[in-house]
Amino acid sequence: FALGLLAGRHVLINAGPTREAIDPVRYISNYSSGKMGFALAEAAAEAGARVTLVAGPVNLTTPPRVERIDVVSARDMLAACEMALPADVFIASAAVADYRPAEAADAKLKKDPGSDSGMQLELVRNPDILATLAAHAQRPWCVGFAAETHDVLSYARDKLQRKNLDLIIANDVSQPDIGFNSDDNSVTLIDRSLHQQHLPQASKSKLAREIIHLIAGYLPAQPE
Ligand code: C5P
């Protein structure tokens, strides 16, 4: 594997889910394992990059030579990513919660013992971390993921354009043996000129190396 491919580059990666507090003991989150992002961080470090990995709550060990910053909520993740700029590349593999409770209660919410009625939880939109970094004054080369259950490639192309990305990695999460929580994945990369490249099912670490290799090929040459 091409060892010095990313020498001198700073690669910023986010990974895992975010947790959005309802009260001190409850939250909204998702099933993201963070495995793909950690595999990408490992592969980027192997390729010689300086790697900053901003991680939501996951049960994974930090790859060698990777600087890891742990966060909980989407807003914390955005702040940590912005703090890590400038970067040559940003790979947004995190499954950021799209919404958070409008207010996190200071004390544990109690159910009304005298009633069987339900409750309403008001949600507000979270910031889009990837779109924010893609519009930043210190804009890195931006890579997004599109995890979809249907019309995978057309949604991915739409996200590439809407979020102004350089590359999107489309991922069919309707198949149980690949994607979200599994060890294998199969993806299709789509670049700005809508050139498509399919990477067949393989372990996330093998795919991560292939993805890092392809990303390195897109980067503008470094000043001498
Ligand atoms: O719009 P959607 O969530 O499907 O887009 C997926 C891509 O956008 C992923 O790369 C994800 O990390 C990123 N994203 C983000 N902030 C959000 C939602 C998604 O950075 N609030």
Side-chain angles (χ1 to χ4, degrees), residues 14 74 90 92-98 126-131 143-148 159 162-163 168:
N14 66 11
F90 174 48
S93 76
V96 183
D98 290 318
N126 263 332
D128 190 306
I129 298 172
L130 179 53
V143 183
F145 272 80
E148 305 289 348
K159 266 169 216 180
R162 191 160 33 84
K163 301 194 189 201
I168 190 122

Side-chain angles (χ1 to χ4, degrees), residues 105-188:
D106 292 333
K108 185 182 170 191
L109 296 173
K110 306 298 282 180
K111 56 186 166 288
D112 178 354
S115 145
D116 285 334
S117 59
M119 78 170 279
Q120 301 279 334
L121 187 60
E122 191 193 343
L123 303 178
V124 296
R125 274 295 274 272
N126 263 332
D128 190 306
I129 298 172
L130 179 53
T132 303
L133 267 66
H136 202 279
Q138 295 179 293
R139 185 188 188 281
W141 202 84
C142 286
V143 183
F145 272 80
E148 305 289 348
T149 53
H150 58 280
D151 299 320
V152 180
L153 295 181
S154 70
Y155 279 121
R157 277 189 293 272
D158 177 62
K159 266 169 216 180
L160 175 82
Q161 288 163 341
R162 191 160 33 84
K163 301 194 189 201
N164 185 29
L165 309 180
D166 298 287
L167 186 74
I168 190 122
I169 303 175
N171 183 177
D172 185 341
V173 290
S174 68
Q175 295 161 259
D177 51 335
I178 60 170
F180 243 50
N181 214 339
S182 66
D183 291 322
D184 274 16
N185 205 350
S186 152
V187 297
T188 301

Side-chain angles (χ1 to χ4, degrees), residues 39-52:
L40 287 162
E42 179 158 26
E46 274 174 18
R50 173 164 85 83
V51 181
T52 306

